[in-house]
Amino acid sequence: MSTVQNETDIGPDEFETDTEGARILKLSTERSIGGSKDVEPPPSIVEILQDVRKDEQGEEVKTFSRKFSDAYGNILDQEEEESSKATNGDVLASPGKERPSSADGSLSNPDDTPSIQNSLLSSSGKYPLISGRGHSPSPSLRPFDRRFQARLSQSPLSSPRPSSPAFLTSHSRNPSALSQLVHDTGDVDTPDAPWEVVRWTKLRKMSGQAFSEIGKRKFGRPTCIAVSASIALGTSKGMILIFDYHQTLQTIIGPGTQAVESGSVTSITFSADHSAVAGGHANGAIFTWDTTRPAKPLLQISPTDPSRLHASDHDGHVSGAAVLHIGFLGTRHTAFVSADEKGMAFSHFVSRSMGAFARSIRTTRILGRYPEPSLAVTTPKKPSSVLAFAPLPLGNAMLTTDDMGLVAMLTPYLLVIVSTIPVAQTQHKASRPKELAAHGTMSAALAWFPAMKISAEDTAIHAPSSLAKLAYSWSNILTVLDVHDADVPEGSAKDKSPELRFIPRKRWKADEAIVAIQWLSRSVLSVITVSQQLIILEDSLLRVTDSSDMIKKHIYHVDLFSQQLSQLVEKLDEDDTSMHGVVADAFYMSFKAYKGRLFLLGFGDVSMGTMSNWADRLLALMEEGNFIGAIELATSYYNGGGDKATVGLPEDDASRHSVVQEKLTEMMSASLKYAFGRNQKAGTSKLGDRQLQELASACINACLSIEDMDFLFDDVYTWYSEDQVEGLFLDILENYITNGSIRILPPSVLKDLVGHFVEGGRDSELEGTLCLLNPETMDIDQITNLCKEHRLYDALLYVWTQALGDYTTILKDLLYLKEDKSHDSGSDRDPSRVVSANPTLKVFPYLSYILTGRIYPTGKAMEDTKATMAKAEIYDFFFSSGRQDTAPDEISSNKMTLSLPHLRHILKQDASSFLSMLNEAFEDSFLNGSNEGLNGQQRIAELSEEQRFGLSVNRQFIMSILLEVILPPDFDEEDVIYLDMFIARNIAKFSQFILIPGSTLQRVMVELCTYSTEDTAEDCQLSVEYLLSVFQPPDLPSMIPILSDAHFYKIIKLIYSTEKKYALLLTACFDDRENPQAIFECIADCLKPNSELSPKQIEDIHSVIIEHASDLVEAGLTHAASTIEAFAPKLHTFLLKALSNDDHAQFQYLREILEPSKPEKLDTTTPGASLNQNFVEQYVRLLCDYDPHHVNDYIGNLQTGDLRLESVLPALESGGIIDAAVVIMAREGKIRDAIDRLTQYLKTLGAALIGLLDGAHETPDAANAQETSDDLMQSLQKYIRIGVWLCQNQTKSIANTKGKATAISRRTLVTNTLSMDEELWLDLVDSVVQVTRDVGDTLESCPNTELTTTSHPINTSKVLSSLRTMVQETFTALLTTTTVPPSNDVRQTDLSFLRIFRAFLDRVSLSSPSISNLRAVLSAIFSAYSYEESLLDLANRLVDKDLFVHVAEVSSMRRRGWRPLGQLCEGCGKRVWGSGVGGGIWDAWIEASQDGSAGGSKIMATHPSAGPNGNGKGKAAASIEDDMAEPGETAEPDLEARKGGNLGPLIVFACRHVFHQRCLESMKPRGDEPEVDRGGILEFSCPLCI
């Protein structure tokens, strides 16, 4: 959007703007009619708004923005005027009557814009459809358990008011950016708002004078800014330039004075009355000036020479320390404070002395330490600086703090608040927040806001004035601190200085470091971050309301602190979390706020900014063409949404409403004109249906907020109606009726609403809508006629009953209306149309609601009095025999003499539904007869006869009437049954209110047992249960056959259980086919161990089980098996007999008791304990048929004697389960038979394999042949291993019986006959070899050699290889088993193997005349034998080699000896080896080497722990060398040693102590000579370790 603005002169014609162009809303060609270029451009919405105002007020209004500014001008500057009252200076000149430009394009951050309240899109869904229709239920619906429910009985989902759909979706052809902006909280990029957060105006004239090349040469570059009634700029040449708000340079301060010699101006400030200015300079000097007399400074404070720092009579800034902060205290020109870059802060007070013109300056240090002398030796201190500094300014409210001269200072470590009057005193200290991130950016900022008087209109603060508060920040943590006066106790001294309380109120964490803070107003805070983001915060909650990117403003910033604080950054310690990664530049001197306006000092210009107020934002939306968004935003402002303080709206509702309401109405009128193309200047195209609906929603929300429904229906709806699009409006209006926002409609709108919904076939929705309106405001005749015309019976009943309080007139009309057959065509009819076609179906839910005290059809509770009278009226209508009105002639012409015509008629229509309704009404306390709903003012005597009768009706009366009316033949049997159910259930629930003769109850019970249809059987049985709870028939046993014929087994079981007839109870359970689970529960309850049944009762139960054995297994086979196993295991035989014709059922039954899948811990005998051998054998036989793979596993778990071989062997053989048969034979000791059967089966498998190989080349299915071959090979391998297992076990058992083998001659072993186990091995080996030989012969006899290798469908090489492997494995097992282990007395022999092998060769020679046929087999046998021998030989050699290496290594280690513990002899202390021992030792070593010996005699040194021969455990003795030490070096213990004689060889013990032999001998007691072992070696013991 391109905008232009008149130059906003703060003085006439001198304020220039940033952009140019025309502020005209350019609509795209899509908005023009037909898109023709020749068509006159359509007017903007702002121009239409001007026309609306012209029409309404009769006067020309220039611009929409001017009107808004005039309307809100006073409120905008209210706080500024209040602030100005605190001083006597000039008031800031008006910044022009036209608003500043929005040309910089600073857009708010999407996440920081204010949230608009009530801006949720209204729910498009309607109220829920009817869940329970009011028609007669079928008999299977159990009418007495059902509750009648109307369509609106369940409240619709509460959909929020559709106040701001503009902020969810786009509405106009130019979508509203705010619509996406407000509610989006995700990561999706959203467009910015069309307004600027701050409207910036560049002060061009001022910037031209200060930043031009001439200005820079003359004055220097601007370095800081101060704002008050004037604008002051400090420069790098020590001058101060003062401009007025016309940007005129009024005063140049400093030329010709010492100020220009003091370096650049580093800080600047105005006094409270704007007449004095103070500046701090780079060399530490301070000057104060009278702005009207700039030639000479008022005060001059020179910096202190470093040599005078420690003089007790002088304080001040050190020369060369730039004064970074300065500020006046209170209203005085002679009291101010300052702080420098070295961390020093001072207060300066000027007083007159020594005459009228002499002045003395008292400077007091309030923070920091002077630098130590260079020669002083002290502990280094942490560097510091004053990062932020400000004295408390004066407000317009007088508080204690005004006379204390409070100053706030921020260092890298502390916040310090000091009072300077009367003496310097610390009032508050606070350390850095713990939440600061380690190694973050070091920055600090603070700003005071003084105490201000509170206007009467501001209801947010209940106090005459607000508190002074301080906003300060370290890094990215901002805190607001409130200043409270401390409570002064009574009787305290008056001269005692006041005490203050500083309370942190709120804390906010920014995303990055904060470098500058300024208060825009009492409630709005502005913040600049290190990346030059401007953030607007609302003070009460510290919530971000707006943000803007200021990077293009090029804010002036300087690095002031990094050199001073370099130790906190450059010496970064990762473990020290107080260190910072970088020190931020200073921005505080460039960012100022004054009276709600912001001032920026940039590198090339000076700018002023004003926050966009609510009028600016509305205008921006209107200019963009988003009139819907503008209406919704204005509505939000009216309701108090958004950030009132930020946009300049008053807090109190009355003031805000008066400001916003008029503008909101004008915007709606202009938007409607624009939307419907009714502008006088040019025609515009109408908007689409969707945008018109959104406009309607926005207007309805606005009118609801301002409570102007006349404007909504007289103006807004008229636009839609005249343009013939009222349906769009009515669709939106329905949502507001549904959520309860609108309950009153004018008659014309109501009529259009009915017509619109009926025309669209939305009768059901229309009824729900009408029932939510207030009927007392409707035209009864109109709405009644409309409802009758369109058959809206729910709405008719609602309106009539709520408006007139008549509950029977419409009821009578509906009761006698005939069904409309015209609605009965078609099979797929709308249920709502079916109900409307038969109005009688509406009667029952209506009666249910009224008789239970609810409004029909909404379901809301009625008032007690109204509910009572309504119920009395209904009961009188049906049950009063004295009513004068009768049924219509066409219905009751032949029954005029009958009483209770209405009751008889409705019972004829649908007796079941009426009785179901009464069943619900009986639960209401009205029928108790207490009449609690009547209040004291309405006495019974004042009521009519009908009302008194209705109040007297109770349950007993209704029950008597029904018994008299519902009688055959007037009513059929089914209706009588429903009455019986009604009586049975309610006599049980309300026995204290209802009294019925026993004969009648007996008849009711019998009738319930003789129901006519199966649909009512369950209801009848439940009713009998109710009845029996309060009524005991005189002859209950005679009722059993009737109950049995009715199949009321639940009741029969209850009777038998009560009478403890358990056998009959179980029989009844068997008879009840619908609940088979009850059979098992009954058996478990009766036969559980802790039951109190007698043996006779248990026997009777067993008889019942035997009698119904087939029924029991039919109820649940596995459940029956587990139950009988747990409680009656003796009855298994009878149940299995019942399953004699079903083998698979027997198998499942036996599996459940023998191998239960889920064994449960029952309080009975262990499952399976009562099983007999027959069950097991039968189960094994059935396993062979249904689970053959599990047979072997099951048999393996059985014990010996659990199974008889002859019983199961035929089944095992027929099933081919030979392995199981073999296992059974082996378990019974029939090893010989087992091997014979196994070898026979091996031959059978071999024959099958040979047959397969012979016919394989002829089969068409090669894959199947290979699979069959693999299966046969697996079977062979399996059974061969079983044979090996049998033989091995037999060999081991025989070996255990014979005992230890004895040495016998080889000849005897060879000539003896084979033992039994050897014969078993022989048969097995013979069978395996025979199969292998036969298969090999078959393959060799094949006519085509190639057929046996490549083209054969079976992999013959794999077959041969597998068979040879089996032979080899068999002989390997034989060799392993028959080999006798070696011992000391018996040498290892393999004679058993040799005898078996010889017998095998003899047997083979009989069957094979040529040994060539066995060549391959014998080769495999010998390979196995030689393989075992060679493997054993290789292992022995590897072990021997490894053992030799380790023994050699140990021997070498032992020969190395021990390393001595030290270099000195433990006896004489003389050095015996190492450096300093002398050269003679080397010569002695060479001589010993040449002799081939290291020493003469061998001496054995032993540790005291050593065993015999010096070989202690772990402490072996070591042979030692002759002593080679040089004699005479040290004193020796004996005389010879003192003379320097030879001390003998060295002796090193296992404890690593070293001695000369002479020293060791001299240390031993006299007569204790060393021992000599058998080798002639002396043995010593360490004297230190004995």
Side-chain angles (χ1 to χ4, degrees), residues 982-1029:
F982 175 76
I983 294 173
R985 299 192 183 198
N986 286 283
I987 190 67
K989 292 188 291 184
F990 308 104
S991 57
Q992 71 273 30
F993 297 103
I994 303 173
L995 182 61
I996 299 177
S999 59
T1000 303
L1001 296 179
Q1002 179 81 9
R1003 176 179 57 83
V1004 168
M1005 184 174 178
V1006 173
E1007 290 175 350
L1008 287 173
C1009 293
T1010 57
Y1011 55 88
S1012 58
T1013 61
E1014 291 294 333
D1015 294 335
T1016 58
E1018 186 177 355
D1019 281 327
C1020 290
Q1021 181 172 211
L1022 183 59
S1023 300
V1024 173
E1025 288 185 55
Y1026 272 102
L1027 185 58
L1028 288 176
S1029 65

Side-chain angles (χ1 to χ4, degrees), residues 879-904:
F879 296 99
S880 176
S881 58
R883 288 186 63 90
Q884 299 298 322
D885 59 334
T886 57
D889 295 340
E890 64 271 19
I891 296 178
S892 58
S893 59
N894 58 344
K895 297 181 181 180
M896 293 296 293
T897 58
L898 295 177
S899 62
L900 307 174
H902 306 309
L903 178 61
R904 295 178 184 274

Side-chain angles (χ1 to χ4, degrees), residues 1061-1139:
K1061 297 180 179 180
Y1062 300 109
L1064 296 176
L1065 173 61
L1066 182 56
T1067 303
C1069 292
F1070 278 113
D1071 293 339
D1072 186 7
R1073 300 290 183 177
E1074 296 181 358
N1075 188 15
Q1077 183 66 26
I1079 301 174
F1080 307 108
E1081 295 175 357
C1082 181
I1083 295 174
D1085 291 339
C1086 295
L1087 299 182
K1088 59 186 177 182
N1090 56 354
S1091 65
E1092 299 178 355
L1093 274 69
S1094 64
K1096 180 64 170 61
Q1097 290 176 321
I1098 295 176
E1099 184 179 353
D1100 293 341
I1101 292 175
H1102 286 177
S1103 300
V1104 173
I1105 295 175
I1106 295 172
E1107 181 181 356
H1108 296 86
S1110 58
D1111 297 332
L1112 182 60
V1113 295
E1114 183 180 353
L1117 184 63
T1118 57
H1119 201 171
S1122 60
T1123 302
I1124 297 301
E1125 173 65 14
F1127 302 105
K1130 296 180 180 180
L1131 303 183
H1132 283 310
T1133 304
F1134 300 98
L1135 271 69
L1136 289 172
K1137 185 177 180 181
L1139 299 173

Side-chain angles (χ1 to χ4, degrees), residues 5-9 66 69 95-101 199:
Q5 158 190 336
N6 298 329
E7 293 196 357
T8 320
D9 293 341
R66 175 68 58 84
S69 299
K97 294 186 177 180
E98 293 188 351
R99 64 187 181 89
S101 169
R199 294 176 284 110

Side-chain angles (χ1 to χ4, degrees), residues 587 589 646 653 822 987 995 1141 1165 1273 1352 1438 1491 1494 1548 1575:
F587 285 76
M589 78 291 290
T646 304
D653 294 340
S822 62
I987 190 67
L995 182 61
N1141 297 327
T1165 57
M1273 294 303 299
H1352 201 283
L1438 291 176
D1491 294 340
V1548 181

